[in-house]
């Protein structure tokens, strides 16, 4: 019963006062879309030196995975996954999150799109598949966590900003923190699974890039 009540409190963060979740979804969705389109544009206009550097990095990365078997690098991988969602947690508790969270979501959209698009420009459809196996699935887990945290967080930040930091917005901070913890834990678990998948398919991925 206690776990069910805690879960219900966490879900209450979606019942934002005054404007609900429609406005945060629209604003953050547009920010992510603009970032993704910018990433595609940047990848398409990448010069020959940039493509050569990316190809070298990808082949070196797959070679490292094959040599080490993925035994090292877990800390750096998990940090890359949680750093933006963790920043979103803090921004959702202060007025600064009103302008900053859409920018953060746009940056994530850019990075997600650029990696996949750039690999596609370098190696065609095989490069897209390789990028998804190596990076894309883990980035998708991080992106989902970021959006699920940013939607209620942006609503609270908006209310705080418009009220000039006034009280009485009715935002359930404890439930928000529980919700954020669940999102981060889910992102870490999915990332670990995605990393294991990339290790299991590293030979196949290396063949795609070769």
């Amino acid at each position: 019963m206690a776990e069910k009540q805690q879960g219900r409190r966490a879900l209450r963060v979606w019942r934002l006062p005054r404007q609900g979740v429609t406005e945060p979804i629209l604003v953050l969705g547009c920010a992510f879309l603009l970032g993704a389109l910018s990433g595609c544009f940047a990848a398409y206009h990448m010069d020959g030196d940039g493509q050569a550097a990316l190809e070298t990095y990808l082949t070196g990365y797959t070679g490292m995975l094959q040599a080490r078997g993925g035994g090292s690098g877990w800390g750096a991988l998990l940090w890359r996954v949680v750093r933006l969602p963790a920043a979103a947690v803090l921004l959702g508790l202060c007025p600064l999150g009103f302008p900053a969270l859409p920018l953060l979501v746009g940056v994530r959209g850019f990075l997600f799109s650029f990696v996949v698009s750039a690999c596609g420009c370098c190696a065609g459809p095989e490069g897209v598949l390789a990028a998804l196996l190596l990076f894309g699935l883990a980035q998708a887990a991080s992106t989902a966590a970021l959006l699920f945290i940013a939607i209620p967080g942006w609503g609270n930040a908006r209310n705080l900003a418009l009220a000039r930091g006034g009280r009485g917005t009715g935002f359930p901070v404890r439930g928000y923190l529980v919700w954020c913890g669940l999102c981060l834990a889910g992102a870490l678990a999915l990332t670990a699974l995605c990393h294991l998948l990339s290790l299991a398919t590293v030979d196949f991925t290396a063949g795609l890039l070769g």
Side-chain angles (χ1 to χ4, degrees), residues 42-57 114 118 121-123:
Y44 180 76
H45 288 83
M46 187 170 54
D47 58 17
D49 292 338
Q51 292 184 2
L54 179 62
E55 290 175 355
T56 301
Y57 172 78
F114 179 79
C121 291
C122 292

Side-chain angles (χ1 to χ4, degrees), residues 4-25:
K4 290 183 178 180
Q5 291 178 353
Q6 189 177 33
R8 289 173 183 172
R9 292 194 201 101
L11 291 175
R12 285 176 191 168
V13 300
W14 289 85
R15 301 174 186 174
L16 299 174
R18 299 183 186 175
Q19 87 280 0
V21 298
T22 302
E23 186 177 346
I25 289 175

Side-chain angles (χ1 to χ4, degrees), residues 34-131:
L34 289 174
L37 292 175
S38 300
C40 290
F41 181 83
Y44 180 76
H45 288 83
M46 187 170 54
D47 58 17
D49 292 338
Q51 292 184 2
L54 179 62
E55 290 175 355
T56 301
Y57 172 78
L58 290 174
T59 54
Y61 184 75
T62 54
M64 181 192 68
L65 290 179
Q66 289 174 312
R68 299 183 181 179
S72 62
W74 278 96
L77 172 68
L78 297 181
W79 166 244
R80 288 197 301 270
V81 170
V82 303
R83 57 185 177 183
L84 292 184
V89 174
L90 300 177
L91 290 172
L93 295 174
C94 63
L96 180 61
F98 182 41
L101 278 173
L103 292 175
L104 194 66
V105 171
V107 168
R108 167 50 69 189
F110 176 88
L111 295 175
F112 183 85
S113 175
F114 179 79
V115 169
V116 177
S117 300
C119 291
C121 291
C122 292
E126 292 83 1
V128 172
L129 180 57

Side-chain angles (χ1 to χ4, degrees), residues 172-185:
V173 175
R174 182 178 298 178
Y176 171 72
L177 294 177
V178 172
W179 174 257
C180 293
L182 293 174
C183 292
L184 291 174

